[in-house]
């Protein structure tokens, strides 16, 4: 008994030439290093042996370039005057080895921690003044 397989063509964005034409079922490794960072669409076109066609589109975002972290301003935030920013950009580098040093984004001390520290110091000063006899 002969089994007819569907042919699947893979397209990226609006390209007219497929990046691959395969017989289903198959495993395929999409190399995103050849794509620019940003939004893309993977379009799969399946054609059966009888000529019927099916299409599926999958949107995805490529981020191969260095990641950018910013602290001090948020998306769509209203600001005025001078705004201090902390910016860090880091790459995945060699994925064969992982180096902890410099891997993390430095951040400022959170406001809630400052408030907690000031409250504790205030409580400690109050305790010392009220409970220590000279």
């Amino acid at each position: 008994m002969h089994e007819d397989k569907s042919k699947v063509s893979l397209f990226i964005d609006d390209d007219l030439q497929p990046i691959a034409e395969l017989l289903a079922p198959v495993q395929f490794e999409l190399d995103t290093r050849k794509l620019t960072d940003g939004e893309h669409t993977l379009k799969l076109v399946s054609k059966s042996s009888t000529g019927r066609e099916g299409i599926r589109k999958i949107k995805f975002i490529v981020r191969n370039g260095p990641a950018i972290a910013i602290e001090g301003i948020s998306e769509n935030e209203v600001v005025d005057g001078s705004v201090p920013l902390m910016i860090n950009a880091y790459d995945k580098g060699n994925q064969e080895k992982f180096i902890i040093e410099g891997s993390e984004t430095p951040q400022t001390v959170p406001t809630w921690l400052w408030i907690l520290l000031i409250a504790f110091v205030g409580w400690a000063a109050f305790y010392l003044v009220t409970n220590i006899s000279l």
Side-chain angles (χ1 to χ4, degrees):
M1 183 173 199
H2 184 264
E3 184 179 326
D4 293 324
K5 295 187 175 191
S6 294
K7 183 174 124 182
V8 179
S9 301
L10 285 75
F11 298 87
I12 296 290
D13 299 328
D14 295 324
D15 289 347
L16 299 176
Q17 286 294 101
I19 59 170
E21 291 184 322
L22 312 162
L23 293 177
V26 68
Q27 287 189 336
F28 178 78
E29 190 168 315
L30 177 64
D31 187 2
T32 64
R33 293 174 293 187
K34 298 174 183 174
L35 301 173
T36 58
D37 282 5
E39 288 189 20
H40 294 278
T41 303
L42 176 65
K43 183 170 109 177
L44 299 107
V45 179
S46 171
K47 207 171 245 186
S48 70
S49 60
T50 59
R52 295 179 51 139
E53 196 172 90
I55 298 175
R56 174 141 187 222
K57 292 183 180 181
I58 301 170
K59 291 187 179 201
F60 63 98
I61 298 173
V62 173
R63 187 170 296 138
N64 287 324
I68 300 171
I70 184 164
E71 188 175 322
I73 193 167
S74 300
E75 191 82 24
N76 300 319
E77 185 175 356
V78 177
V79 295
D80 63 349
S82 178
V83 179
L85 304 176
M86 182 182 298
I87 302 168
N88 190 14
Y90 46 92
D91 198 357
K92 290 182 247 178
N94 184 355
Q95 294 183 8
E96 301 281 322
K97 59 182 180 176
F98 179 72
I99 301 172
I100 293 178
E101 182 182 336
S103 298
E104 297 179 7
T105 300
Q107 295 180 340
T108 58
V109 178
T111 306
W112 64 268
L113 189 59
W114 282 115
I115 293 170
L116 189 65
L117 181 65
I118 291 169
F120 176 75
V121 169
W123 173 82
F126 172 78
Y127 181 80
L128 287 173
V129 168
T130 56
N131 291 319
I132 293 185
S133 57
L134 294 177

